[in-house]
Structure formats: C-alpha cells, structure tokens
Amino acid sequence: MHKSKGNTIWFDDAVEKVGADPMRLIFCLQDPAQELRFGYNSLKEPANDIGILFNMSKLISNSKKVRIDYIEDKWILSRFNNLIKKATEEIENLHPHIYTRALKDFWLNDFSRGYIQLVRDRLASDDLASKYVLRELYVSLIQLSAPVIPFISEKIWLDLKEKGVVKEESVHLCNWPKYDSKKIDEKLEKDFTIAFKLIELGLFERDKEKIGLKWPLSKAVVYFKEELSDDIQEIIARQLNVKKVELKKITVGEENKIELDINMTPELEAEGYSREFARNVQALRKKAGLQKGQLIELKISCSSRMGAFLNKNIHFLLERTNSKKIEFVDVKSIKNGVAFSIKNEGIIVKFL
C-alpha cells in the first residue's frame, strides 16, 4: 500500500467503514519491529473478536460473592490472575503487542471457548458460583481491554452500569486491576491444558462417528501417559457427554488417543431424544419472546416410541423447558402447533 500507487486507505475512511476499535486492536496486536499489511479484509477478524467480547456481556448479571468450590472456577481465576500479572508487566516494559495478544487470547480461548463452555449447564440452572465468577472476571476484563478498545469497552461498561453490575461512571475512571498470587495455580492450569487437548480428541471421534454431542455415550477410554485426577476426568466426561472415563496408561512413544463406546442403550437413547427435544422447545420459547421465568403448559403429539423416550425424562423436560405441565395428546387436539423432527421422528408441540 502506497500513496503513489493510488491504493492508500485513509484513516478517516477506514474508521467510518469499520469503526475505530478494530483498527486499534489490529495495530496494538502488531509487533512494531514487523511490517503490517493493512487492508479491509484484515479487519474482519479483529471486528469478529470484539463482537465475541461484546456478546459475552449478555451473560453478566449482578451477583453476590459466594464460595468457590468448582475446579473450573479455580482454573479460570488462576488464568485470569496470570493474565493481569502478564498484562501489567508487558505494559510497564513497553510491549503493548504482547499485552494485547495475551488479552485477546484470554477472552477468545480461555473465557469464551473454554470457561463458558464448561459452565453452560450451570448457567442454565442459575448456579450462583458460575454467575459470580463470570461477573468478577468480565468486569476486570473490560478494564484491561479499555486502553486497546476504548469505545466498545465504554459501551459495555455503561450497559453493565445500567444493569447495576458496576457503579463507576466510566471504565476509564477505574483503577487498573491487581492480581492475587494466591489464586494462581500453575499445576491446575497445566492439567486443564491436557484436559482440553483430550477433549478435542474425543470430539474428533464423535464427529468421525457422526454422533452429536447432545447424545450421551456410556464410556470414553482415555489412553494417556500420566494419571489424571478425578476432577479432570469428570471435566472430560462432562464435555464429551459420556457417563464415565476409563483411563489406560500408555508408554513413552505411544500417542494419546480416546476410544468411545458408541453402543446406544435404550436409556442413553431416551436421554438423547429428551435433550434434543428440550433444545428445540427452548428455541421455540426464544422465538416466541418468552423469558426464562415464564412457565408454560406444553402439549406434545408424537409416536408412542418417542412418547416413551420423553416420559423417561419427564422431570428433566419440565425443568429444561420451564413447563409446569406436559401433556401427551393426539395430533387432532393440537391446533396451530409447531412441527419439528429428531432423527426422522416427527413431533408437534404447542405451549400455552
């Protein structure tokens, strides 16, 4: 890009088209010792990354401090305190690109794709600890982000203030976060790095067998060279949606791998159908504009086979669909219902 070649992008034009924060982010990520090839295509990724940070604000609510017992909560708190420590050191050493890379890596990988995925079921059940951890981390994360992406940080902050989550008038009037060395656990972070790699192997096996994550399996056999704590095995089991993890040690030179028991028992099949059914009803509730606390009466028309599957998990369905009553009826009893299918099993529902 050069003015003499006529392909210059003027700053004001770029800001008008994509906004200032994506441009600030891409420049802050850049090593000043290297050349930056700038263009509108290169701004798509930072704009998307900022969008992910902004969308996480929808999960944040005003929550009270509670005791932290879950291992995934302790892990993300360790990762975040390490981030504050690194960010502070790199800014003081005049390395803004290293600070910005660590910041973006945290909100994309550790926070969004890591922690929020780990606690999604806890959030769905209004777990107080996960809501508290989310709030504490997100507020401080926006404070860390403010020097790099000041405009979206301020927008997020004002939205949080409106919800009563924060009190300060502006994120730019806040003190810089301080890390707590007592919350940093290097071994725990290493254990989770291993867990995420094994989870990735397991998800690959699910994709290979074309078995969706909503469908539970009885067992995953993990071939690994070291012992895994019960907590880490539980994390792996939960993320792969298997009932148990069986660990088999391998020798040096052998590759880590995971084998899934894909035999589907009637109980597992019933649970899978129930989860898919709940997911469909939740989507219909959202489309209808219903809030989480609004209870419904749910009428279902389906085959006797599907009805038997759903009845086995009726309490789960009552909770997940926010229903005070679920009734199985003949198709003639449902007028203006909504139809969908799960593995070629036709279902019609209507809620009141």
Side-chain angles (χ1 to χ4, degrees):
M1 183 185 300
H2 198 279
K3 183 178 179 181
S4 64
K5 294 182 179 179
N7 60 357
T8 301
I9 298 176
W10 296 104
F11 178 82
D12 289 348
D13 294 336
V15 169
E16 184 69 26
K17 186 171 182 177
V18 300
D21 279 346
M23 293 182 63
R24 290 179 63 96
L25 180 57
I26 199 172
F27 279 108
C28 287
L29 287 166
Q30 180 66 22
D31 184 343
Q34 303 294 322
E35 183 180 271
L36 172 63
R37 295 186 177 276
F38 182 82
Y40 285 123
N41 287 334
S42 64
L43 287 167
K44 291 180 181 179
E45 183 176 338
N48 290 337
D49 294 343
I50 292 171
I52 291 172
L53 180 65
F54 177 79
N55 288 333
M56 284 191 286
S57 66
K58 300 172 184 176
L59 299 174
I60 310 304
S61 59
N62 197 7
S63 52
K64 295 181 180 179
K65 185 176 182 178
V66 296
R67 179 177 170 178
I68 302 301
D69 292 318
Y70 286 94
I71 190 171
E72 59 265 33
D73 296 345
K74 295 177 181 178
W75 164 74
I76 197 64
L77 287 169
S78 176
R79 291 290 298 142
F80 188 64
N81 279 276
N82 251 331
L83 171 67
I84 298 174
K85 181 181 179 182
K86 183 177 181 64
T88 304
E89 290 173 351
E90 297 302 344
I91 286 182
E92 290 176 347
N93 291 329
L94 303 180
H95 297 149
H97 60 294
I98 300 177
Y99 141 66
T100 306
R101 290 174 184 179
L103 179 68
K104 191 189 79 160
D105 180 66
F106 178 85
W107 91 55
L108 286 180
N109 296 313
D110 294 329
F111 204 34
S112 177
R113 297 165 187 162
Y115 181 71
I116 290 176
Q117 289 300 310
L118 289 174
V119 300
R120 60 186 184 275
D121 288 339
R122 290 170 58 194
L123 290 172
S125 59
D126 286 328
D127 173 72
L128 296 179
S130 58
K131 291 172 71 174
Y132 167 71
V133 172
L134 270 178
R135 175 192 176 278
E136 287 296 293
L137 264 62
Y138 191 73
V139 168
S140 295
L141 181 61
I142 298 307
Q143 292 171 340
L144 289 178
S145 304
V148 178
I149 44 175
F151 301 104
I152 193 65
S153 296
E154 184 71 351
K155 165 62 178 171
I156 292 170
W157 192 267
L158 294 178
D159 289 345
L160 294 176
K161 186 175 185 296
E162 191 173 325
K163 292 195 291 185
V165 176
V166 297
K167 295 179 180 179
E168 292 85 351
E169 291 297 325
S170 168
V171 67
H172 304 296
L173 298 177
C174 297
N175 293 325
W176 185 256
K178 295 181 179 180
Y179 69 90
D180 184 348
S181 59
K182 294 179 181 179
K183 293 181 179 179
I184 296 177
D185 187 335
E186 300 290 354
K187 184 181 182 304
L188 182 60
E189 292 187 28
K190 180 182 176 182
D191 289 345
F192 264 79
T193 298
I194 293 169
F196 283 126
K197 289 179 180 178
L198 292 173
I199 289 167
E200 187 177 354
L201 290 175
L203 293 176
F204 175 78
E205 291 299 317
R206 271 189 171 271
D207 287 342
K208 190 167 69 174
E209 298 292 341
K210 294 182 172 55
I211 302 174
L213 195 55
K214 292 287 184 184
W215 297 85
L217 298 174
S218 61
K219 181 174 65 175
V221 182
V222 178
Y223 294 84
F224 191 62
K225 60 185 177 181
E226 301 173 13
E227 290 293 332
L228 297 173
S229 69
D230 291 342
D231 286 333
I232 293 298
Q233 290 187 48
E234 193 275 333
I235 290 287
I236 294 172
R238 198 185 335 147
Q239 292 306 294
L240 295 181
N241 196 10
V242 297
K243 297 304 179 182
K244 69 175 182 177
V245 167
E246 183 179 307
L247 185 61
K248 291 190 176 182
K249 295 190 75 172
I250 59 175
T251 59
V252 177
E254 292 185 276
E255 290 187 357
N256 302 329
K257 66 176 182 178
I258 287 185
E259 291 180 353
L260 300 175
D261 183 351
I262 62 174
N263 294 318
M264 192 67 67
T265 66
E267 290 75 20
L268 292 173
E269 196 171 14
E271 184 179 336
Y273 274 110
S274 298
R275 287 183 177 277
E276 283 291 334
F277 177 86
R279 183 183 63 81
N280 277 277
V281 173
Q282 287 168 350
L284 292 173
R285 284 179 57 99
K286 185 176 181 180
K287 187 177 181 180
L290 293 177
Q291 300 300 313
K292 189 173 183 179
Q294 290 181 265
L295 296 178
I296 60 172
E297 292 185 11
L298 187 61
K299 290 188 176 184
I300 307 170
S301 175
C302 59
S303 68
S304 58
R305 176 174 178 268
M306 175 61 75
F309 283 148
L310 298 181
N311 261 315
K312 285 185 177 181
N313 298 283
I314 196 69
H315 295 295
F316 167 82
L317 293 177
L318 284 165
E319 178 187 350
R320 283 301 178 93
T321 62
N322 276 348
S323 299
K324 56 185 177 181
K325 180 181 178 181
I326 293 179
E327 183 181 3
F328 293 88
V329 299
D330 184 83
V331 65
K332 296 178 181 178
S333 302
I334 297 184
K335 294 182 179 180
N336 301 319
V338 180
F340 58 87
S341 64
I342 303 174
K343 287 192 172 183
N344 297 320
E345 284 277 356
I347 303 169
I348 301 176
V349 299
K350 184 176 182 180
F351 46 81
L352 307 172

PDB file of all heavy atoms in Angstrom, residues 275-286:
ATOM      1  N   ARG A 275     -32.908 -34.545  25.366  1.00  0.00           N
ATOM      2  CA  ARG A 275     -32.074 -33.340  25.259  1.00  0.00           C
ATOM      3  C   ARG A 275     -32.347 -32.589  23.957  1.00  0.00           C
ATOM      4  O   ARG A 275     -32.423 -31.358  23.940  1.00  0.00           O
ATOM      5  CB  ARG A 275     -30.600 -33.719  25.369  1.00  0.00           C
ATOM      6  CG  ARG A 275     -30.166 -34.112  26.772  1.00  0.00           C
ATOM      7  CD  ARG A 275     -28.687 -34.411  26.837  1.00  0.00           C
ATOM      8  NE  ARG A 275     -28.260 -34.708  28.201  1.00  0.00           N
ATOM      9  CZ  ARG A 275     -27.952 -33.802  29.113  1.00  0.00           C
ATOM     10  NH1 ARG A 275     -27.995 -32.506  28.783  1.00  0.00           N
ATOM     11  NH2 ARG A 275     -27.577 -34.140  30.323  1.00  0.00           N
ATOM     12  N   GLU A 276     -32.471 -33.327  22.870  1.00  0.00           N
ATOM     13  CA  GLU A 276     -32.766 -32.682  21.585  1.00  0.00           C
ATOM     14  C   GLU A 276     -34.153 -32.043  21.607  1.00  0.00           C
ATOM     15  O   GLU A 276     -34.354 -30.953  21.069  1.00  0.00           O
ATOM     16  CB  GLU A 276     -32.678 -33.715  20.456  1.00  0.00           C
ATOM     17  CG  GLU A 276     -31.265 -34.073  20.057  1.00  0.00           C
ATOM     18  CD  GLU A 276     -30.560 -32.915  19.376  1.00  0.00           C
ATOM     19  OE1 GLU A 276     -31.238 -32.051  18.789  1.00  0.00           O
ATOM     20  OE2 GLU A 276     -29.315 -32.862  19.443  1.00  0.00           O
ATOM     21  N   PHE A 277     -35.104 -32.725  22.237  1.00  0.00           N
ATOM     22  CA  PHE A 277     -36.452 -32.163  22.352  1.00  0.00           C
ATOM     23  C   PHE A 277     -36.413 -30.863  23.156  1.00  0.00           C
ATOM     24  O   PHE A 277     -37.011 -29.852  22.751  1.00  0.00           O
ATOM     25  CB  PHE A 277     -37.378 -33.172  23.026  1.00  0.00           C
ATOM     26  CG  PHE A 277     -38.777 -32.661  23.245  1.00  0.00           C
ATOM     27  CD1 PHE A 277     -39.731 -32.758  22.243  1.00  0.00           C
ATOM     28  CD2 PHE A 277     -39.136 -32.056  24.451  1.00  0.00           C
ATOM     29  CE1 PHE A 277     -41.014 -32.264  22.432  1.00  0.00           C
ATOM     30  CE2 PHE A 277     -40.406 -31.562  24.645  1.00  0.00           C
ATOM     31  CZ  PHE A 277     -41.353 -31.665  23.645  1.00  0.00           C
ATOM     32  N   ALA A 278     -35.715 -30.876  24.291  1.00  0.00           N
ATOM     33  CA  ALA A 278     -35.629 -29.677  25.130  1.00  0.00           C
ATOM     34  C   ALA A 278     -34.978 -28.528  24.369  1.00  0.00           C
ATOM     35  O   ALA A 278     -35.406 -27.368  24.480  1.00  0.00           O
ATOM     36  CB  ALA A 278     -34.838 -29.989  26.403  1.00  0.00           C
ATOM     37  N   ARG A 279     -33.943 -28.837  23.596  1.00  0.00           N
ATOM     38  CA  ARG A 279     -33.262 -27.796  22.818  1.00  0.00           C
ATOM     39  C   ARG A 279     -34.217 -27.164  21.815  1.00  0.00           C
ATOM     40  O   ARG A 279     -34.235 -25.931  21.644  1.00  0.00           O
ATOM     41  CB  ARG A 279     -32.055 -28.386  22.091  1.00  0.00           C
ATOM     42  CG  ARG A 279     -31.231 -27.368  21.322  1.00  0.00           C
ATOM     43  CD  ARG A 279     -30.096 -28.038  20.566  1.00  0.00           C
ATOM     44  NE  ARG A 279     -30.598 -28.954  19.559  1.00  0.00           N
ATOM     45  CZ  ARG A 279     -31.028 -28.581  18.349  1.00  0.00           C
ATOM     46  NH1 ARG A 279     -31.037 -27.301  18.024  1.00  0.00           N
ATOM     47  NH2 ARG A 279     -31.459 -29.478  17.486  1.00  0.00           N
ATOM     48  N   ASN A 280     -35.029 -27.966  21.153  1.00  0.00           N
ATOM     49  CA  ASN A 280     -35.995 -27.441  20.185  1.00  0.00           C
ATOM     50  C   ASN A 280     -37.047 -26.561  20.864  1.00  0.00           C
ATOM     51  O   ASN A 280     -37.406 -25.495  20.343  1.00  0.00           O
ATOM     52  CB  ASN A 280     -36.672 -28.597  19.446  1.00  0.00           C
ATOM     53  CG  ASN A 280     -35.859 -29.117  18.278  1.00  0.00           C
ATOM     54  OD1 ASN A 280     -35.890 -28.573  17.179  1.00  0.00           O
ATOM     55  ND2 ASN A 280     -35.107 -30.175  18.522  1.00  0.00           N
ATOM     56  N   VAL A 281     -37.544 -26.991  22.001  1.00  0.00           N
ATOM     57  CA  VAL A 281     -38.561 -26.208  22.710  1.00  0.00           C
ATOM     58  C   VAL A 281     -37.964 -24.896  23.221  1.00  0.00           C
ATOM     59  O   VAL A 281     -38.606 -23.843  23.166  1.00  0.00           O
ATOM     60  CB  VAL A 281     -39.176 -27.017  23.865  1.00  0.00           C
ATOM     61  CG1 VAL A 281     -40.115 -26.148  24.698  1.00  0.00           C
ATOM     62  CG2 VAL A 281     -39.938 -28.224  23.317  1.00  0.00           C
ATOM     63  N   GLN A 282     -36.726 -24.943  23.709  1.00  0.00           N
ATOM     64  CA  GLN A 282     -36.061 -23.720  24.156  1.00  0.00           C
ATOM     65  C   GLN A 282     -35.939 -22.713  23.012  1.00  0.00           C
ATOM     66  O   GLN A 282     -36.132 -21.509  23.203  1.00  0.00           O
ATOM     67  CB  GLN A 282     -34.686 -24.050  24.717  1.00  0.00           C
ATOM     68  CG  GLN A 282     -34.720 -24.735  26.077  1.00  0.00           C
ATOM     69  CD  GLN A 282     -33.373 -25.311  26.472  1.00  0.00           C
ATOM     70  OE1 GLN A 282     -32.451 -25.365  25.668  1.00  0.00           O
ATOM     71  NE2 GLN A 282     -33.255 -25.750  27.715  1.00  0.00           N
ATOM     72  N   ALA A 283     -35.624 -23.212  21.813  1.00  0.00           N
ATOM     73  CA  ALA A 283     -35.521 -22.329  20.647  1.00  0.00           C
ATOM     74  C   ALA A 283     -36.882 -21.726  20.307  1.00  0.00           C
ATOM     75  O   ALA A 283     -36.982 -20.543  19.944  1.00  0.00           O
ATOM     76  CB  ALA A 283     -34.972 -23.112  19.455  1.00  0.00           C
ATOM     77  N   LEU A 284     -37.949 -22.517  20.446  1.00  0.00           N
ATOM     78  CA  LEU A 284     -39.295 -22.013  20.168  1.00  0.00           C
ATOM     79  C   LEU A 284     -39.711 -20.976  21.211  1.00  0.00           C
ATOM     80  O   LEU A 284     -40.368 -19.985  20.881  1.00  0.00           O
ATOM     81  CB  LEU A 284     -40.293 -23.175  20.153  1.00  0.00           C
ATOM     82  CG  LEU A 284     -40.153 -24.165  18.985  1.00  0.00           C
ATOM     83  CD1 LEU A 284     -41.087 -25.349  19.178  1.00  0.00           C
ATOM     84  CD2 LEU A 284     -40.438 -23.477  17.649  1.00  0.00           C
ATOM     85  N   ARG A 285     -39.357 -21.211  22.451  1.00  0.00           N
ATOM     86  CA  ARG A 285     -39.642 -20.228  23.504  1.00  0.00           C
ATOM     87  C   ARG A 285     -38.961 -18.896  23.198  1.00  0.00           C
ATOM     88  O   ARG A 285     -39.556 -17.828  23.324  1.00  0.00           O
ATOM     89  CB  ARG A 285     -39.157 -20.747  24.864  1.00  0.00           C
ATOM     90  CG  ARG A 285     -40.013 -21.817  25.516  1.00  0.00           C
ATOM     91  CD  ARG A 285     -39.385 -22.240  26.838  1.00  0.00           C
ATOM     92  NE  ARG A 285     -39.226 -21.092  27.705  1.00  0.00           N
ATOM     93  CZ  ARG A 285     -40.069 -20.751  28.700  1.00  0.00           C
ATOM     94  NH1 ARG A 285     -41.105 -21.523  28.943  1.00  0.00           N
ATOM     95  NH2 ARG A 285     -39.863 -19.686  29.422  1.00  0.00           N
ATOM     96  N   LYS A 286     -37.693 -18.984  22.805  1.00  0.00           N
ATOM     97  CA  LYS A 286     -36.932 -17.766  22.490  1.00  0.00           C
ATOM     98  C   LYS A 286     -37.560 -17.031  21.316  1.00  0.00           C
ATOM     99  O   LYS A 286     -37.682 -15.794  21.328  1.00  0.00           O
ATOM    100  CB  LYS A 286     -35.486 -18.142  22.180  1.00  0.00           C
ATOM    101  CG  LYS A 286     -34.576 -16.952  21.952  1.00  0.00           C
ATOM    102  CD  LYS A 286     -33.140 -17.395  21.749  1.00  0.00           C
ATOM    103  CE  LYS A 286     -32.224 -16.192  21.538  1.00  0.00           C
ATOM    104  NZ  LYS A 286     -30.808 -16.615  21.342  1.00  0.00           N
TER     105      LYS A 286
END
